[in-house]
Amino acid sequence: MLLSSLSILMGAILVPSDYLWVYSTHIILVCLYLMWSKRLIVLFLTLLSFISIISSELLPTSPLLLRVGSVVLVDFERKNLIINKNEIPSVVALTKELPVSIVYFSGQGRRQTIDDFSLTFSSMASIHEAQSNASYRGEVTNILLPDKNGPWWQKQLYVKKQMAQLTIQFADEDISSIDQVHFSLHDQLFTKLDTLFGSFNSWRFSKALLLGQDDLWSERDTWIIRTLGLAHLFVVSGLHTGFMFAIGCLISRMVWRCLPSQIMLSGLTRWHFDAIIVMPLLFTYAYITHWGEPVVRASIMLSVYLCARMLALKVSPYSIITFALWLVLLSNPRTVLSPGLWLSFSMVYLLIGYCQTSTKVPRLFMVQVMLSTASMVLILGWQDAISSVSILVNVLLIPFAAFVWFPWGMVSGLEALAIGSTHSYELLDRLLYYVIIPVEWIAFNLPLLFFEQFVSSVPRFIMLLLIACWVYQSPLKRGVVSALGIWCILFSSMLFNVSNADITLANRENTLTLSDRNGVLLSDSWTGIDLSRLMIGSYLKVDRQHAYILSPSSVKNLSPQMLLDHGIEWVMFKREESEQTQVMLDALNVDWLVISPGESLAFYFQGDYISLRHSSCIYSFFLLKSDTCKRVEKLESVLNYVQT
């Protein structure tokens, strides 16, 4: 009946509002059945689920009484956001604190997001009094509201229970001091580690592996990691919590062997020491990594597992993980909309299914192959392409990270924080040099699998079915057929030629060239003063042929009058232009796209739909996309809007 409690938590979020009567009927029938069967424990769990739903979803919430242009006072230390109540047209719920997320730009121009600020309303006198206590005045420039049916950024606000996301602009003289005021303990740790290890070339990857911080990555590094399918390794996840669990168990076993016999005969078991040592270690690591959702979920799962073993409860691992899933949803039912939740628990269920009968090395090797294969199937559709040797790279790097890189990095971090020495990490950096260089070579030189070759969802459903069959098979020898089937489908795209682009705009030797499958159509070096020869709209099969133009050899020819006379809406540059040119284009509402030397932009005509692929943006599931990738997406949407 734990599944019924799970359905209550999930149903409140997933059921459309028009069918809430079905949801409420389900709860009533379940409760009546539990009362009739006298299953009091399950009834208690069901009522807890119902109370959680009422408190988080069904109670009325206060409206967000804010507008763009409102002046607010931000207290970073107390995480308070104060607004003058005289600016609010209504006096309803002025005493209630509303959780909001704020966005601002730091002194380095980096976008900063902080959740769980308390929005309060106060008088002007109180605002002046609070401003003297290290608070900063800012102006609200944008308001984003949560929406569980909206795009991912609004859905994320809904999952995090934020009433809104406020973009705040501060005075230039306050930015530098703001960056220093709200440093928490883990931010101070990160800053010190960056200072000590920043000179090492491998630190940008080690920081992501150990702490889940990829702020030192370039676009090139991000492309390499995602193409090789290693994002789960360098973004703190349940895998890293598993590493900490193994380290904690090793420490617990060492302590257990050193204890006197009187303590061991007192009734304490090794499971007690595992719970005492490992559980605080897991949640300490969760705090250091900013309470990342995957880490918290994995910590709850492993803690529930340890408690069950400590209490000698004879329950299956599947029941323990299902109970952990119920606890996670009980704390926040909205996480049912988070793909990471289902990815984490599905991988744990798969791991249990493959490891519960044996832990011999051959089986563990097959488990690693299975998980790497399953991860490739699960990310199918999230990325346009992935390396053909992704499985092999995962099989080699994950054990290396688990047994060498992660523990060695943790020891080096403790050494640096304790005595300020980097000798241990210096040795690790020398070792990682011989790891990173081959990984980069593999990413750029070995062939890729382009998943867009699957014209329908049938291959993916077949692979998911084969994974389910593989899980069902025991021992794994009978699952070889499923593995071979998955690999055949995954690598089938290599048997077909990747479709050539219909039109390609490339920057070759600092010259923009437009070509099709038969040859060169246009080059920016062909024209002198006649800018009409740079129009590319006719080749793109759009009605507004003069709206798209290649950048002339001299940007001076892009005068405001010329742009207005020809109705130009998009300009293709071959380099980043000056800020003055960008300001002019913005003022004229003209968009632009940069195709740097060696890069290309491919156009695919698929009936009435035009698909674009920039050579530096071949992946699509990346939330922090570069400016170029965002502009490519905008151009694609504009072209298809014109088509319709």
Side-chain angles (χ1 to χ4, degrees):
M1 294 302 292
L2 188 58
L3 295 177
S4 296
S5 299
L6 283 173
S7 67
I8 291 174
L9 292 170
M10 294 186 293
I13 308 300
L14 300 178
V15 171
S17 57
D18 294 338
Y19 295 94
L20 285 178
W21 64 272
V22 179
Y23 168 75
S24 59
T25 303
H26 165 73
I27 297 178
I28 294 173
L29 291 177
V30 168
C31 292
L32 290 176
Y33 171 75
L34 294 175
M35 294 172 63
W36 175 75
S37 60
K38 298 181 180 180
R39 303 180 67 173
L40 300 181
I41 295 179
V42 182
L43 177 62
F44 175 71
L45 297 179
T46 303
L47 291 177
L48 278 182
S49 302
F50 185 61
I51 293 172
S52 174
I53 291 299
I54 292 178
S55 61
S56 64
E57 301 298 324
L58 302 182
L59 292 179
T61 57
S62 301
L64 184 70
L65 304 175
L66 266 182
R67 61 179 182 270
V68 174
S70 297
V71 177
V72 295
L73 194 66
V74 184
D75 187 341
F76 286 97
E77 293 181 349
R78 299 181 179 88
K79 298 190 74 171
N80 284 336
L81 198 66
I82 308 173
I83 185 170
N84 182 13
K85 66 180 181 180
N86 295 328
E87 296 186 13
I88 307 303
S90 174
V91 295
V92 179
L94 289 181
T95 59
K96 296 189 65 174
E97 295 184 353
L98 304 177
V100 295
S101 173
I102 71 167
V103 174
Y104 70 97
F105 290 90
S106 66
Q108 294 78 27
R110 186 177 300 165
R111 188 175 187 267
Q112 303 285 353
T113 302
I114 308 178
D115 296 327
D116 296 321
F117 266 76
S118 298
L119 178 62
T120 57
F121 306 92
S122 184
S123 62
M124 183 61 69
S126 301
I127 291 179
H128 286 302
E129 181 181 353
Q131 190 173 8
S132 62
N133 298 325
S135 297
Y136 299 89
R137 182 182 293 270
E139 179 182 347
V140 178
T141 59
N142 185 52
I143 300 176
L144 182 66
L145 300 178
D147 184 3
K148 72 174 181 180
N149 298 317
W152 65 265
W153 49 88
Q154 289 182 290
K155 186 180 295 183
Q156 193 68 13
L157 288 177
Y158 175 79
V159 171
K160 293 181 178 180
K161 295 185 177 181
Q162 304 298 300
M163 290 294 297
Q165 185 178 81
L166 309 178
T167 302
I168 300 178
Q169 182 177 1
F170 296 99
D172 294 338
E173 58 271 14
D174 293 336
I175 293 296
S176 58
S177 57
I178 288 176
D179 293 338
Q180 302 174 359
V181 167
H182 63 281
F183 270 3
S184 60
L185 177 59
H186 41 63
D187 290 331
Q188 295 176 13
L189 295 178
F190 293 168
T191 302
K192 185 174 182 179
L193 291 176
D194 282 337
T195 302
L196 294 173
F197 295 146
S199 60
F200 296 103
N201 184 55
S202 63
W203 174 239
R204 67 188 195 276
F205 292 113
S206 297
K207 185 179 181 181
L209 175 72
L210 301 174
L211 306 172
Q213 300 292 314
D214 58 359
D215 54 303
L216 302 179
W217 284 5
S218 63
E219 287 292 330
R220 181 176 182 271
D221 296 331
T222 303
W223 185 89
I224 292 173
I225 295 304
R226 292 194 174 275
T227 299
L228 294 176
L230 296 172
H232 62 96
L233 188 62
F234 292 96
V235 178
V236 169
S237 63
L239 180 66
H240 301 74
T241 310
F243 294 163
M244 293 300 299
F245 179 82
I247 293 174
C249 288
L250 181 62
I251 296 174
S252 175
R253 183 165 297 183
M254 294 173 58
V255 173
W256 172 257
R257 291 182 177 179
C258 296
L259 290 176
S261 57
Q262 292 86 351
I263 296 180
M264 291 188 288
L265 294 176
S266 63
L268 294 176
T269 65
R270 187 169 60 87
W271 292 110
H272 289 82
F273 280 90
D274 284 346
I276 294 173
I277 294 176
V278 175
M279 290 173 61
L281 188 63
L282 293 179
F283 287 99
T284 300
Y285 183 66
Y287 167 76
I288 294 176
T289 55
H290 292 279
W291 299 104
E293 289 185 7
V295 178
V296 173
R297 287 194 295 264
S299 299
I300 292 176
M301 283 189 283
L302 293 172
S303 298
V304 171
Y305 170 77
L306 288 175
C307 290
R309 294 301 184 187
M310 182 179 65
L311 299 175
L313 299 177
K314 295 182 179 180
V315 291
S316 68
Y318 290 111
S319 300
I320 294 175
I321 301 305
T322 304
F323 182 71
L325 174 61
W326 177 77
L327 286 178
V328 172
L329 292 178
L330 184 69
S331 60
N332 185 8
R334 297 183 180 185
T335 54
V336 71
L337 298 176
S338 174
L341 173 76
W342 301 110
L343 185 61
S344 298
F345 278 93
S346 61
M347 296 303 287
V348 171
Y349 278 115
L350 291 176
L351 186 61
I352 293 174
Y354 282 93
C355 288
Q356 61 181 346
T357 58
S358 174
T359 56
K360 295 181 180 179
V361 174
R363 186 176 183 87
L364 293 178
F365 175 78
M366 286 298 296
V367 168
Q368 182 59 57
V369 172
M370 173 267 156
L371 292 177
S372 300
T373 303
S375 65
M376 290 187 69
V377 177
L378 292 175
I379 67 174
L380 177 58
W382 292 5
Q383 294 180 201
D384 290 335
I386 195 168
S387 176
S388 57
V389 292
S390 175
I391 296 176
L392 178 61
V393 171
N394 273 268
V395 168
L396 296 177
L397 273 188
I398 290 181
F400 174 77
F403 297 107
V404 179
W405 195 347
F406 190 86
W408 195 338
M410 281 294 177
V411 172
S412 300
L414 292 175
E415 174 193 357
L417 294 175
I419 61 176
S421 172
T422 61
H423 299 301
S424 177
Y425 191 82
E426 184 177 356
L427 297 176
L428 177 60
D429 181 71
R430 295 179 182 178
L431 175 62
L432 293 179
Y433 173 81
Y434 298 100
V435 175
I436 296 175
I437 295 299
V439 166
E440 293 180 344
W441 183 88
I442 289 172
F444 285 101
N445 292 277
L446 295 185
L448 302 178
L449 301 178
F450 290 91
F451 291 145
E452 66 179 12
Q453 298 303 305
F454 300 124
V455 296
S456 69
S457 300
V458 174
R460 184 178 186 183
F461 288 135
I462 293 177
M463 287 187 288
L464 291 174
L465 179 62
L466 290 174
I467 288 179
C469 294
W470 197 357
V471 173
Y472 179 76
Q473 295 295 331
S474 181
L476 282 177
K477 293 180 180 179
R478 286 185 286 174
V480 174
V481 176
S482 298
L484 292 176
I486 295 172
W487 294 340
C488 288
I489 297 176
L490 278 174
F491 293 98
S492 63
S493 62
M494 297 184 64
L495 302 178
F496 307 97
N497 292 328
V498 178
S499 59
N500 294 323
D502 295 280
I503 298 292
T504 302
L505 180 59
N507 189 334
R508 299 186 178 94
E509 298 180 356
N510 205 30
T511 300
L512 287 179
T513 304
L514 186 71
S515 59
D516 62 5
R517 299 177 183 178
N518 298 321
V520 177
L521 300 174
L522 189 67
S523 174
D524 66 347
S525 62
W526 290 1
T527 181
I529 304 177
D530 187 7
L531 298 181
S532 62
R533 298 187 60 186
L534 294 179
M535 306 296 180
I536 63 174
S538 59
Y539 302 104
L540 304 182
K541 299 181 179 180
V542 294
D543 297 332
R544 306 174 70 178
Q545 299 179 3
H546 300 287
Y548 308 92
I549 185 175
L550 298 182
S551 173
S553 55
S554 176
V555 183
K556 295 180 180 179
N557 294 327
L558 288 177
S559 63
Q561 189 61 44
M562 187 275 292
L563 293 172
L564 293 174
D565 291 343
H566 291 83
I568 294 174
E569 297 179 358
W570 280 85
V571 182
M572 306 299 168
F573 289 115
K574 52 189 174 186
R575 69 179 69 87
E576 287 287 347
E577 294 299 336
S578 64
E579 184 178 355
Q580 180 180 0
T581 302
Q582 295 180 14
V583 171
M584 178 194 70
L585 294 176
D586 279 332
L588 297 174
N589 199 24
V590 176
D591 291 292
W592 70 90
L593 180 63
V594 177
I595 303 175
S596 302
E599 296 181 348
S600 62
L601 178 65
F603 297 79
Y604 298 85
F605 301 140
Q606 303 168 356
D608 293 333
Y609 184 80
I610 299 178
S611 176
L612 303 186
R613 180 187 295 165
H614 197 282
S615 59
S616 65
C617 307
I618 70 168
Y619 52 87
S620 60
F621 188 74
F622 182 45
L623 303 184
L624 301 178
K625 295 179 181 176
S626 66
D627 182 69
T628 299
C629 300
K630 294 177 181 178
R631 292 183 182 275
V632 170
E633 290 184 350
K634 183 177 181 179
L635 176 59
E636 182 178 275
S637 64
V638 169
L639 288 173
N640 288 290
Y641 176 77
V642 172
Q643 290 293 90
T644 56

